């Protein structure tokens, strides 16, 4: 399986357990998470049903009613490849590694394609997988380009899969509002912007026959009841979302400044993480780890992804570690 | 997809919305559920990890450390068929309908076998799927017979899959303690006895290579963090479990008496449900539904499955409905 951020057991294996515990900046999960109210006991007890308002709340938030709830967009990434016979799949690279891994595992012919090769790939592939904004480099793709690629793919029964796990802070980017068009598959998640990675709730915005096939593949009651309830509450709270967007943008600017002072130059990012391409990636990762701070190392291309600190003490710890360790 | 109990939208579609709402006796979920404490906020926020004590608590409860946590045993039922190339699968019939459905869907040759045909099936099939105790008829299989079938199957790299979703009230029956033996796959769930069907937590007790393949198939972070925490707390509470077993046995006796008074004669069951084979199944289901009580109808063989009422008012409502409606 691909490696992922947020694996502190890996951090501890390599560097031991730091005094005061790890400060985990290795994910893009918001440090300002939605405060989940206490769960309704019935949500633990009953088999989760569809008539609980989750899809309506998600629909209002994402601007589409063509939605299926899934146990994390990861579950959709795992199941989508089984819905097509083996075909040619072009996956943006670098991006979230599970995409290529899961299509390959299901016997598709997978080509990893740099951003500047996507236009050509949209002519040649049966399925094109893009993340917008991309992770780990934060790269944005113009919705007009995505629409053009989608039209081309759809014409020959192909799919454009857009992973919008980090799109909540850049709403103008999303294609979710166009969901329902044949061959367009948009993935959303409450893990990152809402800070509810533990809930395992995501959504697939896609035409009804594809949603039905995916639901059958995932089987009944795929999303836990309390998780559905937590996600519904978060998705329905537009006021919280507006405030969170402001806070995250402010925090991302603060992080950028801090990194620049340490001569680490972000080349991109989203309000939830910054991407620092650097040949010193391993050394910086190690130096920060010795100070108990865990960031995500990428080897190819060499770089580091920094998530946001949360509490003021965490900011100070990072500032100190950057100064000392580098 | 197969139909399932607990689908009150189906009840409402056929019979409208009853005054005072539905009394749902169509599942085998305990009406005396484990009282889940308030969730730790961190469990919503972090990607769920394996080092949270869940497997240790489950191991102490089930008597094995050869465990994988899955998002409901349903997820394992869905994923197991993809771990073998198409082969001959004998599935006990009747039983939980998803077993045969999921093996068939993955292109295996599935034969539905009555209980008295399992001995022969263990000689001929590559995979034998049994539920113990069985659902909906409550039939018990002697662990010695299961061991014999398992030995035969394992000798030719076959599997014995035992669904123990209802085994918590009949501990002497379980093969979980023998997990790790090649070719033995035992499924457990916190949905029924613990009354945590909404949590979507189950376990697969099986040899390590099979667990690893299943984990890879299900992908990372398959079980929600708050669900893991709730299950861990419930599985670790042996005192609650002992009391629950007593209460459920007492309640099942009370239900049996009530049904007999209405000339409905249970032919089997577990402390979580009773099985009433009857040619009048449709008429009785309809009569009870008109009184707002939803039980599970089976057409082949014709019969009804009654779950347990919980609050005293629910018992009275059932008693009244049985008297009036029949």
């Amino acid at each position: 399986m691909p490696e992922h951020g947020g694996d502190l057991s890996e951090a501890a294996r390599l560097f031991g357990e730091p005094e005061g515990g790890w400060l985990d900046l290795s994910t893009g999960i918001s440090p300002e998470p939605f405060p989940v109210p206490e769960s309704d006991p019935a949500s633990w007890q009953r088999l989760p049903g569809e008539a609980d308002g989750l899809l309506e709340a998600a629909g209002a938030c994402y601007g589409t009613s063509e939605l299926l709830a899934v146990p994390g967009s990861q579950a959709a990434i795992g199941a989508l490849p089984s819905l097509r016979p083996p075909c040619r799949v072009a996956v943006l690279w670098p991006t979230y590694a599970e995409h290529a891994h899961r299509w390959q595992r299901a016997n598709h012919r997978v080509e990893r394609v740099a951003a500047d090769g996507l236009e050509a790939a949209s002519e040649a592939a049966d399925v094109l997988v893009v993340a917008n904004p991309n992770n780990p480099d934060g790269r944005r793709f113009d919705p007009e380009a995505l629409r053009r690629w989608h039209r081309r793919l759809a014409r020959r029964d192909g799919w454009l899969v857009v992973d919008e796990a980090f799109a909540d802070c850049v709403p103008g980017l999303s294609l979710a509002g166009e969901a329902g068009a044949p061959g367009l598959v948009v993935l959303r998640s409450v893990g990152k912007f809402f800070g509810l990675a533990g809930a395992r709730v995501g959504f697939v915005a896609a035409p009804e026959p594809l949603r039905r096939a995916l639901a059958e593949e995932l089987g009944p009651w795929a999303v836990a009841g309390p998780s559905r309830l937590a996600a519904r509450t978060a998705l329905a709270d537009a006021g919280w979302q507006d405030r969170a967007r402001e806070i995250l943008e402010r925090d991302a600017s603060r992080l950028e400044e801090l990194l620049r002072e340490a001569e680490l130059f972000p080349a991109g990012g989203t309000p939830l993480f910054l991407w620092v391409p650097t040949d010193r990636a391993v050394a910086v990762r190690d130096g920060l780890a010795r100070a108990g701070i865990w960031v995500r190392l990428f080897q190819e291309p060499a770089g580091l992804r920094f998530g946001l600190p949360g509490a003021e003490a965490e900011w100070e710890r990072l500032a100190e570690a950057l100064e000392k360790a580098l």
Side-chain angles (χ1 to χ4, degrees), chain A:
Chain A
M1 281 202 239
E3 284 176 20
H4 296 287
D7 186 358
L8 290 178
S9 65
E10 171 75 356
R13 193 177 62 74
L14 293 173
F15 296 92
E17 193 61 44
E19 222 176 304
W22 285 100
L23 168 54
D24 185 9
L25 305 183
S26 71
T27 77
I29 300 166
S30 175
E32 306 281 352
F34 182 79
V36 177
E38 189 166 0
S39 302
D40 175 357
S43 70
W44 288 113
Q45 293 149 20
R46 283 190 210 134
L47 287 164
E50 293 298 321
D52 59 0
L54 173 62
L55 291 186
E56 290 74 9
C61 190
Y62 300 139
T64 176
S65 58
E66 309 273 351
L67 289 171
L68 174 72
V70 294
S73 52
Q74 172 65 41
I77 292 168
L80 279 171
S82 68
L83 302 189
R84 292 187 69 106
C87 68
R88 291 159 305 165
V89 181
V91 180
L92 169 64
W93 199 256
T95 193
Y96 180 57
E98 288 278 338
H99 287 290
H101 174 61
R102 294 285 156 183
W103 285 97
Q104 238 157 4
R105 222 180 150 262
N107 301 317
H108 298 276
R109 193 138 46 87
V110 172
E111 203 186 341
R112 290 165 170 81
V113 179
D116 61 11
L118 292 175
E119 187 78 46
S122 74
E123 305 269 16
D126 300 305
V127 175
L128 178 58
V129 182
V130 178
N132 199 26
N134 192 32
N135 162 25
D137 59 14
R139 185 170 189 133
R140 268 91 163 148
F141 295 93
D142 178 0
E144 272 315 311
L146 294 176
R147 285 188 190 103
R148 187 170 62 241
W149 303 341
H150 166 244
R151 277 194 304 272
R152 269 182 209 146
L153 287 151
R155 228 175 276 143
R156 45 182 203 276
D157 291 323
W159 292 353
L160 174 69
V161 179
V162 189
D163 183 345
E164 297 188 354
F166 287 99
D168 306 70
C169 290
V170 254
L173 230 49
S174 178
L175 290 196
E178 291 150 54
L184 178 61
V185 182
V186 177
L187 309 182
R188 302 292 302 225
S189 167
V190 304
K192 308 304 194 297
F193 168 69
F194 290 96
L196 300 179
R200 313 312 301 139
V201 181
F203 298 90
V204 177
E208 203 274 335
L210 194 152
R211 297 199 315 267
R212 201 171 349 115
L214 197 57
E216 162 70 19
E217 180 69 23
L218 294 172
W221 320 297
V223 182
S227 294
R228 293 182 66 100
L229 198 54
R232 187 191 73 188
T233 312
L235 287 159
D237 194 340
W240 179 89
Q241 291 162 34
D242 288 341
R243 284 193 303 281
R245 266 186 278 268
E246 275 175 40
I247 293 170
L248 293 171
E249 269 170 41
R250 191 197 62 202
D251 286 358
S253 300
R254 181 176 178 183
L255 178 61
E256 177 154 14
E257 206 173 316
L258 207 57
L259 292 174
R260 285 182 182 281
E261 281 170 18
E263 297 193 7
L264 293 167
F265 300 103
T270 74
L272 287 159
F273 63 80
L274 292 177
W275 168 245
V276 179
T278 167
D279 293 341
R280 297 185 294 143
V282 173
V284 175
R285 192 276 305 261
D286 290 1
L288 289 170
R290 279 189 290 269
I293 295 172
W294 190 237
V295 299
R296 180 77 197 282
L297 170 71
F298 291 82
Q299 308 262 20
E300 230 191 293
L304 296 168
R305 190 185 64 197
F306 286 80
L308 298 176
E312 197 51 38
E314 296 180 358
W315 285 98
E316 283 163 24
R317 194 167 157 192
L318 176 62
E320 213 172 294
L322 283 168
E323 206 171 315
K324 260 205 280 191
L326 306 181

